């Protein structure tokens, strides 16, 4: 190091900055930061140990601490974007090495916003956390009076909006207009319907532990480190826990933004990268065996005729051939769910689970985008209802965009193909990259942080990988990611 860089005061500032790595979502205990007292007794040893600790922290800040997680193909690091060697050289020669660490910590444009929110939530946690709102007693409606729950609600929101608990208002049992508007703002920030009614979902969001949000912010900061650049072409991005699909043009403009329905926790939508290659009109649905066993078998036991009237056909295999059978002739109570011997197919039609349009994107998980007859579910704030595939709020809009550039095809011709009620398909002239990712923390409008529930527990798995010792971190990351994954099937 140069004489200027070896200045002990600068080295002590570097040590102090490393002890504040928790501001960046990292744990300072992972980096063997030497005590300041060593600087006086062994200056060279202190300097060497400090630079070693700073080098490890620098690598994590540049490339992410959890770098390889099996099953998380949505997190693609690009170490070449910020090569470590030049940063280490700068760290060793800089007059103010702490500034090098700070610059690495804020490389991603969203890092300062996320760090501020992390600091805010940590301050709340240090003060005892959020005031819980009692969840019993049903929905809290605007205009009601509740001397037990309304003050708790007011205190919970008053952490972010102190005016709500100023003066005599703090103990008011009335769900007055000012508090209603505060609830609406909270609901909007949480992705809930901003109706001012405090029901089950709003109460769950209000009572989500602040520690869980801190965990998610730590993950959010680490996930953004060293990310590869997005593909330089038109692409589809589906954020699973945010229940949204966006079509992003080459220039970064979002040309289509819609709600989606994703897989429930027991049938998770996987993260993956693929390409949209074709569209099928009036698709039949080959019911996956898991859906047949768990969903349709109970319905067949109750009313096989109703299942048949829903367009489902039941096939048995006899002599190597598939033969259609009448479901009303089978004793479904004697059929084993573990050894389900039938194949089920649903014909195209109004009741078909895939709706009228299926967007084909080849992948090993057999996941696709599709229409749905269950349009009412898009009004729900939490939309994890499918068996893994992704149901679209605006299938015709995506269809029109996908067909762009395919000779002879436009929305009018596609509408005619749908109206024909027969199954047909078209290969897209220009396939579209598709990325299904799992990002619970987003930054809206440049400075507003939204934190969605960790519906599949992938953030918990990620933070375990972050907090594992360095020598076993990669192995733990792979194991934890695979634990959370549940194979998806069907729709």
């Amino acid at each position: 190091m140069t004489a200027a860089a070896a200045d002990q005061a600068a080295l002590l500032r570097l040590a102090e900055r490393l002890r504040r790595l928790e501001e960046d979502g990292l744990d300072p205990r992972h980096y063997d930061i030497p005590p300041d007292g060593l600087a006086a007794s062994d200056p060279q040893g202190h300097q060497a140990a400090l630079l070693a600790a700073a080098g490890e922290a620098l690598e994590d800040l540049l490339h992410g601490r959890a770098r390889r997680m099996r099953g998380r193909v949505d997190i693609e690091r690009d170490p070449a974007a910020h090569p470590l060697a030049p940063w280490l050289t700068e760290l060793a020669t800089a007059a103010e090495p702490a500034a090098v660490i700070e610059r690495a910590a804020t490389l991603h444009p969203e890092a300062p916003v996320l760090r501020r929110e992390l600091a805010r939530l940590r301050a709340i946690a240090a003060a005892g956390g959020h005031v819980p709102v009692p969840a019993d007693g049903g929905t809290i409606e605007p205009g009601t009076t509740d001397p037990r729950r309304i003050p708790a609600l007011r205190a919970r929101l008053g952490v972010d909006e102190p005016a709500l608990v100023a003066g005599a208002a703090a103990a008011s049992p009335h769900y007055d207009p000012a508090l209603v508007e505060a609830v609406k703002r909270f609901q909007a920030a949480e992705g809930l319907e901003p109706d001012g009614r405090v029901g089950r979902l709003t109460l769950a969001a209000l009572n989500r532990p602040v520690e869980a949000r801190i965990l998610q912010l730590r993950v959010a900061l680490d996930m953004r480190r060293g990310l590869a650049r997005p593909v330089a072409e038109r692409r589809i991005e589906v954020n699973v826990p945010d229940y949204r699909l966006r079509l992003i043009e080459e220039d970064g403009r979002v040309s289509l933004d819609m709600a989606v329905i994703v897989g429930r926790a027991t049938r998770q939508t996987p993260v993956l990268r693929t390409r949209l290659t074709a569209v099928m009109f009036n698709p039949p649905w080959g019911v996956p065996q898991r859906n047949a066993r768990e969903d349709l078998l109970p319905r067949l036991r109750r009313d096989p005729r109703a299942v048949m009237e829903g367009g489902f056909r039941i096939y048995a295999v006899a002599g190597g051939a598939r033969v259609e059978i009448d479901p009303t002739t089978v004793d479904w109570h004697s059929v084993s769910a573990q050894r389900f011997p039938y194949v089920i197919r649903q014909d195209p039609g109004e009741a078909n689970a895939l709706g009228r349009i299926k967007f084909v994107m080849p992948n090993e998980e057999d996941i696709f985008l599709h229409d749905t007859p269950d349009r009412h579910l898009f009004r729900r704030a939490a939309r994890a209802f499918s068996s893994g595939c992704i149901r679209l709020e605006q299938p015709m809009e995506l269809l029109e965009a996908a067909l762009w550039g395919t000779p002879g095809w436009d929305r009018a011709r596609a509408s005619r193909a749908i109206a024909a009620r027969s199954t047909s398909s078209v290969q897209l002239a220009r396939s579209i990259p598709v990325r299904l990712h799992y990002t619970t923390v987003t930054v809206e409008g440049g400075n507003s942080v939204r934190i969605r529930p960790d519906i599949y527990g992938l953030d918990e798995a990620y933070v375990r990988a972050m907090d594992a010792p360095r020598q076993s971190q990669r192995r733990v990351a792979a194991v934890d990611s695979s634990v959370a994954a549940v194979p998806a099937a069907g729709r």
Side-chain angles (χ1 to χ4, degrees):
M1 294 181 74
T2 65
D7 180 84
Q8 285 300 314
L11 289 174
L12 292 175
R13 287 191 292 272
L14 173 60
E16 189 273 336
R17 178 61 182 87
L18 293 178
R19 293 188 187 101
R20 291 191 288 107
L21 282 170
E22 63 180 17
E23 297 175 1
D24 312 297
L26 300 176
D27 188 338
R29 294 173 297 180
H30 291 146
Y31 300 99
D32 296 325
I33 305 165
D36 290 346
L38 186 63
S41 60
D42 182 5
Q44 290 187 334
H46 175 262
Q47 178 177 305
L50 186 57
L51 287 178
E56 291 191 349
L58 192 59
E59 184 178 13
D60 289 348
L61 289 170
L62 292 174
H63 303 153
R65 181 164 175 84
R67 284 169 219 151
R68 293 181 180 88
M69 298 189 67
R70 191 169 68 189
R72 293 303 302 268
V73 296
D74 57 328
I75 306 168
E76 185 178 346
R77 312 286 190 186
D78 181 14
H82 299 288
L84 180 60
W87 284 82
L88 291 175
T89 299
E90 184 179 359
L91 179 72
T93 58
E96 195 59 61
V100 180
I101 297 295
E102 180 65 21
R103 186 155 53 87
T106 54
L107 276 176
H108 194 281
E110 292 180 348
V113 180
L114 295 172
R115 290 203 308 176
R116 283 197 300 271
E117 182 66 6
L118 179 59
R120 188 184 74 85
L121 293 182
R122 279 199 163 125
I124 292 172
H130 290 302
V131 175
V133 182
D136 59 321
T139 299
I140 305 174
E141 301 283 355
T144 60
T145 297
D146 187 328
R148 184 173 61 97
R149 295 198 294 166
I150 298 300
L153 175 63
R154 194 181 300 278
R156 166 63 179 86
L157 295 177
V159 172
D160 297 321
E161 301 189 32
L164 294 172
V165 291
S172 173
H174 304 297
Y175 192 19
D176 55 55
L179 186 54
V180 171
E181 291 305 311
V183 167
K184 288 181 179 180
R185 288 189 289 272
F186 174 83
Q187 290 171 323
E190 291 288 318
L192 303 172
E193 184 179 355
D195 57 6
R197 302 175 70 247
V198 184
R200 178 178 57 85
L201 291 177
T202 300
L203 283 166
L206 287 164
N207 290 331
R208 195 186 314 158
V210 67
E211 291 79 11
R213 296 173 187 265
I214 289 170
L215 177 152
Q216 289 177 269
L217 282 164
R218 292 184 61 207
V219 169
L221 280 160
D222 201 64
M223 280 180 61
R224 285 159 171 77
R225 293 175 180 132
L227 286 183
R229 292 180 179 273
V231 291
E233 58 182 311
R234 194 180 196 216
R235 64 190 187 276
I236 293 171
E237 300 260 350
V238 178
N239 187 352
V240 174
D242 197 25
Y243 311 113
R244 298 213 69 81
L245 176 149
R246 291 178 174 87
L247 177 64
I248 304 172
E249 302 298 335
E250 289 184 23
D251 59 4
R253 177 177 54 88
V254 177
S255 59
L256 185 59
D257 186 341
M258 74 175 78
V260 297
I261 292 168
V262 302
R264 50 194 182 271
T266 54
R267 300 185 193 175
Q268 299 173 12
T269 297
V271 296
L272 57 83
R273 291 175 181 268
T274 181
R275 298 185 78 92
L276 179 60
T277 59
V279 177
M280 181 179 292
F281 306 107
N282 301 304
W285 182 38
V287 181
Q289 282 296 94
R290 180 172 180 177
N291 297 64
R293 294 192 308 267
E294 297 180 6
D295 301 336
L296 285 181
L297 181 55
R299 292 173 56 187
L300 286 164
R301 287 170 174 167
R302 289 193 302 270
D303 190 347
R305 186 171 298 280
V307 173
M308 183 172 59
E309 290 172 353
F312 290 95
R313 296 175 181 269
I314 317 294
Y315 297 88
V317 176
R322 187 175 291 181
V323 179
E324 184 174 0
I325 64 171
D326 182 347
T328 62
T329 64
V330 176
D331 178 9
W332 292 104
H333 291 279
S334 68
V335 174
S336 168
Q338 288 70 39
R339 297 182 180 180
F340 192 79
Y342 301 102
V343 173
I344 303 180
R345 177 180 181 274
Q346 189 181 29
D347 289 338
E350 296 298 334
N352 185 280
L354 307 186
R356 293 294 189 177
I357 309 170
K358 173 183 174 180
F359 295 86
V360 180
M361 46 187 209
N363 61 89
E364 294 181 356
E365 305 281 354
D366 195 25
I367 296 297
F368 44 85
L369 313 175
H370 65 89
D371 183 19
T372 175
D374 298 323
R375 311 303 302 175
H376 66 285
L377 293 177
F378 290 107
R379 296 196 295 270
R380 304 279 189 89
R383 295 186 294 275
F385 300 117
S386 83
S387 292
C389 289
I390 297 161
R391 308 178 196 175
L392 304 171
E393 180 187 33
Q394 302 173 43
M396 288 301 295
E397 285 72 11
L398 182 60
L399 173 62
E400 184 175 17
L403 289 173
W404 181 77
T406 301
W409 282 89
D410 55 17
R411 183 163 179 161
R413 181 176 176 185
S415 296
R416 291 195 297 272
I418 294 170
R421 298 182 178 274
S422 58
T423 301
S424 62
S425 61
V426 56
Q427 289 289 128
L428 302 182
R430 302 179 182 180
S431 66
I432 304 174
V434 179
R435 173 175 172 258
L436 310 187
H437 64 102
Y438 192 92
T439 306
T440 61
V441 179
T442 57
V443 176
E444 311 292 334
N447 59 6
S448 177
V449 176
R450 296 201 313 177
I451 305 177
R452 296 288 179 267
D454 182 15
I455 57 175
Y456 297 162
L458 298 192
D459 281 354
E460 291 185 13
Y462 192 109
V463 89
R464 285 196 295 272
M466 286 181 65
D467 288 342
R470 180 173 294 274
Q471 62 269 22
S472 62
Q473 179 197 73
R474 311 303 192 266
R475 174 175 53 80
V476 172
V479 172
D480 275 351
S481 269
S482 64
V483 166
V486 177
R491 56 187 183 90

